[in-house]
């Protein structure tokens, strides 16, 4: 059974994921439920094809397989009809009643996916982690890791809220990118990493601006410095450089203010923040001029892994 999940960026298109996920699972389970039992290469089939004294097939095993397949397909039908809670319950029964069947393996993953669809993040993450723990080499383990990541990602709020979910999402998304390079999961995770980093940078900007309003310029500078050093490739960086120009000018550290303005002009010449920084420095009869020994210059000269 080949992995063929359709990775999406937002919950708005989760119906597409459902269709792809169900198609994958059906292709390997629902349509070939007797494969491996009655196939020509099975011991039972070989025995059935020999003389009349041969050992008969294990009919009880065949009946159990049919029973779990029936239960599993009923759960799929509930999912297809968008009866998510009922489908969740049915897949749970598959896992409970037939814990050692291949259907139980897929049922765990389906419970994780439905938990995501229902917005029950903890349930989804718990089920996905259960799949990872029980089947670390499973063919769908990449999807399980991805689902953990997007559950945390979808909980990212605006920058005024606690960023613990953002940090969890960032760690999980980066793990997906590292573990499953070249996959659709890794590609989508990489795009989401950029958004998560931007959120974290936005939080630092918010706190830094608050400190400036209180006149605590040094504390604010430390926040904007973090944006420049840790979150350079985000949309927050141009403003962070302007705020550094502003803060250093207020403290009378003119060389650093000139450097921040110069680095801003070099990297974001069309930015409104550069025009403001240039004006701010020019008001004192100065001009943007980078000091190569400044931490600001070194931060932009360093190789950024992202």
């Amino acid at each position: 059974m080949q992995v063929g999940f359709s990775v999406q960026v937002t919950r708005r298109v989760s119906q597409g994921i459902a269709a792809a996920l169900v198609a994958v699972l059906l292709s390997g389970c629902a349509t070939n439920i007797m494969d491996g039992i009655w196939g020509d290469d099975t011991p039972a089939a070989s025995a059935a094809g020999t003389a009349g004294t041969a050992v008969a097939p294990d009919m009880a095993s065949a009946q159990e397989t049919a029973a779990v397949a029936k239960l599993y397909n009923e759960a799929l039908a509930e999912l297809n009809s968008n009866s998510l809670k009922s489908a969740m319950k049915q897949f749970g029964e598959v896992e409970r009643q037939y814990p050692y069947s291949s259907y139980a393996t897929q049922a765990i993953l389906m419970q994780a996916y439905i938990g995501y669809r229902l917005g029950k993040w903890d349930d989804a993450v718990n089920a996905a982690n259960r799949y990872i723990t029980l089947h670390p080499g499973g063919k769908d383990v990449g999807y399980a890791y991805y689902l953990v990541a997007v559950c945390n990602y979808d909980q990212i709020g605006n920058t005024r809220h606690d960023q613990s979910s953002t940090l969890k999402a960032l760690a999980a998304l980066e793990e997906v990118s590292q573990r499953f390079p070249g996959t659709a999961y890794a590609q989508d995770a990489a795009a989401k990493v950029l958004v998560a980093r931007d959120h974290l940078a936005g939080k630092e900007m918010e706190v830094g601006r608050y400190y400036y309003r209180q006149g605590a310029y040094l504390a604010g500078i430390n926040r904007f410095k973090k944006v420049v050093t840790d979150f350079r490739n985000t949309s927050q960086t141009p403003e962070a450089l302007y705020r550094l120009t502003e803060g250093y000018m207020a403290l009378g550290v003119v060389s650093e203010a000139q450097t921040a303005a110069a680095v801003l002009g070099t990297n974001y010449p069309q930015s409104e923040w550069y025009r403001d920084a240039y004006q701010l420095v020019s008001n004192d009869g100065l001009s943007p001029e980078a000091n190569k020994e400044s931490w600001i210059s070194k931060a932009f000269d360093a190789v950024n892994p992202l």
Side-chain angles (χ1 to χ4, degrees):
M1 181 161 56
Q2 298 297 317
V3 176
F5 301 124
S6 177
V7 179
Q8 304 296 334
V9 175
T10 66
R11 294 186 65 212
R12 289 197 295 264
V13 288
S14 59
Q15 292 292 342
I17 302 176
L21 183 58
V22 168
V24 170
L25 296 171
L26 278 171
S27 66
C29 298
T31 59
N32 299 301
I33 61 175
M34 304 310 287
D35 285 357
I37 296 173
W38 302 111
D40 291 340
D41 58 344
T42 63
S46 298
T50 60
T53 59
V55 177
D58 184 352
M59 296 304 294
S61 174
Q63 290 169 358
E64 179 179 287
T65 303
V68 64
K70 181 176 182 294
L71 184 60
Y72 185 89
N73 286 331
E74 287 173 352
L76 283 178
E78 293 291 338
L79 178 59
N80 284 330
S81 66
N82 213 35
S83 300
L84 300 183
K85 292 182 180 179
S86 179
M88 174 79 86
K89 183 178 179 180
Q90 290 283 80
F91 283 121
E93 284 299 302
V94 171
E95 184 185 1
R96 185 183 67 81
Q97 295 183 33
Y98 306 96
Y100 304 111
S101 68
S102 61
Y103 293 91
T105 301
Q106 297 298 336
I108 296 172
L109 203 60
M110 295 302 284
Q111 289 174 80
Y113 171 70
I114 295 172
Y116 169 77
R117 285 276 305 276
L118 291 171
K120 294 184 176 181
W121 314 118
D122 290 342
D123 290 346
V125 169
N126 288 338
N129 281 331
R130 191 162 72 253
Y131 181 94
I132 292 168
T133 300
L134 295 174
H135 311 285
K139 60 181 181 52
D140 296 329
V141 72
Y143 181 76
Y145 275 102
Y146 174 76
L147 201 54
V148 170
V150 295
C151 281
N152 284 294
Y153 177 83
D154 280 3
Q155 294 180 74
I156 295 177
N158 63 49
T159 56
R160 287 186 171 83
H161 296 156
D162 175 71
Q163 295 298 297
S164 58
S165 291
T166 310
L167 291 169
K168 288 181 183 179
L170 183 59
L173 290 165
E174 289 176 338
E175 184 174 18
V176 171
S177 296
Q178 293 165 8
R179 281 180 175 270
F180 309 100
T183 66
Y185 308 129
Q187 182 180 358
D188 189 53
K192 287 179 168 62
V193 162
L194 298 179
V195 176
R197 286 172 56 82
D198 208 85
H199 272 273
L200 292 173
K203 183 63 176 181
E204 296 297 332
M205 294 297 297
E206 180 188 344
V207 175
R209 288 191 292 265
Y210 169 80
Y211 282 135
Y212 271 24
R213 289 194 296 271
Q214 306 303 311
Y217 287 102
L218 186 57
I221 285 171
N222 286 334
R223 294 290 183 160
F224 300 130
K225 179 178 181 179
K226 187 174 180 63
V227 173
V228 170
T229 56
D230 295 354
F231 304 108
R232 192 187 111 185
N233 291 342
T234 69
S235 66
Q236 309 295 332
T237 303
E239 183 186 351
L241 287 167
Y242 167 75
R243 298 298 178 187
L244 287 169
T245 304
E246 187 179 39
Y248 281 128
M249 288 297 290
L251 293 176
V253 188
V254 176
S255 176
E256 290 292 78
Q258 289 176 286
T259 299
V263 169
L264 177 54
T266 298
N267 291 276
Y268 308 97
Q270 305 303 317
S271 170
E272 293 182 4
W273 295 113
Y274 172 60
R275 291 195 288 272
D276 292 343
Y278 184 90
Q279 185 64 44
L280 185 62
V281 172
S282 298
N283 286 340
D284 278 12
L286 304 171
S287 62
E289 184 176 344
N291 176 1
K292 293 300 182 182
E293 298 304 312
S294 167
W295 70 265
I296 304 172
S297 296
K298 292 178 180 179
F300 273 78
D301 289 338
V303 176
N304 193 309
L306 294 179

